[in-house]
Amino acid sequence: MKLQRKNGLRATALGALAVSGALVLTACGSDDNTGGTGNAGEKKTAASNIKCDDAKGQLMASGSSAQKNAMDLWVKNYMAACTGVEVNYKSSSSGEGIVAFNQGTVGFAGSDSALKPDEVEESKKVCTSGQGINLPMVGGPIAIGYNLPGVDSLVLDAPTVARIFDTKIKKWNDPAIAKLNPGVTLPDTTIQAFHRSEDSGTTQNLGKYLGKAAPNDWKYEAEKKWPAPGGQAAQGSSGVAAQVKQVPGAIGYFELSYAKSQDIPAVSIDTGASAPAEATSENASKAIAAAKIKGTGKDLALDLDYTTKAEGAYPLVLVTYEVVCDTGNKPETLDTVKSFLSYTASDEGQKILTDAGYAPIPTEINAKVRETVNGLS
């Protein structure tokens, strides 16, 4: 079915299946995914609606650490249902995932930003008679996490966030921060701003948000490599979250699942609406629902509105894509790729996202994802 460039999206229902605390806390470990199948009871539940079809053997995938916690849940459930199949998702970064995909070493890649034109062109060497396409699979807020003892809630706006990460604001009691937080006692503590050390789609999405919502204060191009001087670097979303958790005065950016699993407070964003928007799955869905499809053909890349002032909409969001070949996928892994991604895009696969700190993909776009996955060849 031909996709229209300006299809509107509506928010999907956010009911979530119950998942165990042990699964939600997977972010406390490293970014490496070791799979696992759980106990017999978990296998029965996980297997309920998963169709293994002709899946077999080992499926290697890699990329975005933003979707690590979602992928951990999906892999665990899928492998419990589909015995004899091993899915190994290496959580590294979007940049590394796309490189691996275009080198033909993985069945699919996870990326927090859509393929660039040159990356699409390069993918044609791997995708026989086809090219790489973007399938939105995970949505959610990028949390601005902070470590400020005695400050349980904090409001920032886009210009203030921009100046903090550009090291223009250096103290937590800076007048710009104090103005946004009347009645809050802010300490005279030096701000320790942490960013990603490697190419990251999360970094790029933060840059897109700041470039659109604070153009006078953030002059950098939205690239995967951290652009601003100063600050401190850490590897992966888990690394940034770990530093914020450990260092008093720290601030950093990572997916909400990392903030939830490590009990890191997250900033609410003043968008100009009647009240600041909290970083929640529900509020992220309100922002993602306003996205438009910008991809053509089978490509489902989205154009997000980072300047929304809709009530309750949390504007600092990302959508993580699974990058696959539209045609020309490797025959030895094609069936497994289709089976696994059919599960992640299913109602069951999407419903577990909310409890893990993510937002399900809105219903209308997810229907197109399922159709595209079914047609992969």
Side-chain angles (χ1 to χ4, degrees):
M1 178 171 63
K2 186 175 180 181
L3 305 180
Q4 298 300 317
R5 186 180 181 86
K6 294 186 177 180
N7 282 349
L9 309 180
R10 69 170 182 262
T12 185
L14 291 174
L17 296 177
V19 295
S20 71
L23 295 183
V24 175
L25 292 175
T26 50
C28 295
S30 71
D31 272 1
D32 290 330
N33 184 321
T34 56
T37 58
N39 60 40
E42 290 172 336
K43 286 185 179 181
K44 183 176 180 181
T45 301
S48 57
N49 295 308
I50 296 176
K51 296 181 179 180
C52 304
D53 296 325
D54 296 320
K56 58 186 179 297
Q58 185 180 64
L59 173 61
M60 303 296 294
S62 69
S64 165
S65 65
Q67 66 175 13
K68 174 198 182 311
N69 299 324
M71 195 60 70
D72 281 352
L73 291 170
W74 284 334
V75 168
K76 187 178 292 288
N77 289 351
Y78 183 81
M79 287 175 59
C82 301
T83 57
V85 181
E86 180 182 352
V87 179
N88 190 321
Y89 181 81
K90 180 184 178 183
S91 174
S92 51
S93 69
S94 299
E96 292 178 51
I98 290 174
V99 168
F101 177 77
N102 281 338
Q103 289 177 343
T105 60
V106 295
F108 70 89
S111 178
D112 309 339
S113 55
L115 293 168
K116 294 180 179 179
D118 61 321
E119 292 170 337
V120 173
E121 192 62 31
E122 188 177 356
S123 74
K124 294 178 181 179
K125 300 175 183 177
V126 175
C127 303
T128 309
S129 73
Q131 66 181 44
I133 57 173
N134 306 282
L135 302 178
M137 200 68 71
V138 180
I142 300 175
I144 304 293
Y146 66 96
N147 182 340
L148 207 55
V151 179
D152 297 326
S153 63
L154 187 70
V155 175
L156 298 176
D157 58 12
T160 307
V161 172
R163 283 182 280 160
I164 287 173
F165 281 106
D166 200 18
T167 65
K168 297 294 196 300
I169 294 178
K170 301 180 184 298
K171 294 283 188 177
W172 276 110
N173 62 350
D174 186 275
I177 301 176
K179 183 179 180 180
L180 292 164
N181 296 274
V184 177
T185 302
L186 297 167
D188 183 27
T189 303
T190 298
I191 296 174
Q192 306 285 342
F194 285 90
H195 58 262
R196 293 281 287 274
S197 61
E198 78 286 9
D199 285 2
S200 160
T202 312
T203 294
Q204 187 172 41
N205 278 278
L206 175 66
K208 289 177 180 178
Y209 164 69
L210 294 176
K212 294 289 187 181
N216 295 328
D217 297 283
W218 191 256
K219 302 293 187 180
Y220 307 101
E221 292 295 324
E223 299 292 346
K224 293 177 182 175
K225 183 178 180 62
W226 181 254
Q232 302 179 62
Q235 178 77 23
S237 291
S238 61
V240 175
Q243 290 298 316
V244 172
K245 179 73 172 180
Q246 295 168 10
V247 178
I251 190 171
Y253 58 94
F254 33 80
E255 294 65 44
L256 180 63
S257 59
Y258 291 91
K260 290 181 66 173
S261 65
Q262 299 194 42
D263 198 27
I264 299 171
V267 165
S268 294
I269 294 181
D270 184 345
T271 63
S274 63
E278 296 182 14
T280 67
S281 297
E282 292 83 357
N283 289 346
S285 281
K286 293 175 184 177
I288 295 172
K292 303 289 189 296
I293 295 173
K294 65 178 181 180
T296 58
K298 294 183 179 180
D299 185 79
L300 301 179
L302 302 179
D303 186 15
L304 298 170
D305 180 6
Y306 295 103
T307 61
T308 179
K309 294 182 180 180
E311 293 298 328
Y314 183 83
L316 180 46
V317 296
L318 62 74
V319 170
T320 292
Y321 300 96
E322 311 311 334
V323 177
V324 296
C325 296
D326 54 359
T327 63
N329 289 278
K330 292 182 178 180
E332 60 269 28
T333 57
L334 174 60
D335 289 335
T336 308
V337 167
K338 292 177 69 172
S339 172
F340 179 70
L341 295 184
S342 292
Y343 163 57
T344 64
S346 69
D347 288 340
E348 182 177 352
Q350 288 290 300
K351 283 179 179 178
I352 68 174
L353 294 179
T354 303
D355 281 357
Y358 297 99
I361 298 300
T363 302
E364 290 182 8
I365 189 63
N366 194 45
K368 299 180 186 299
V369 172
R370 296 180 193 179
E371 179 184 356
T372 303
V373 169
N374 187 56
L376 297 178
S377 62

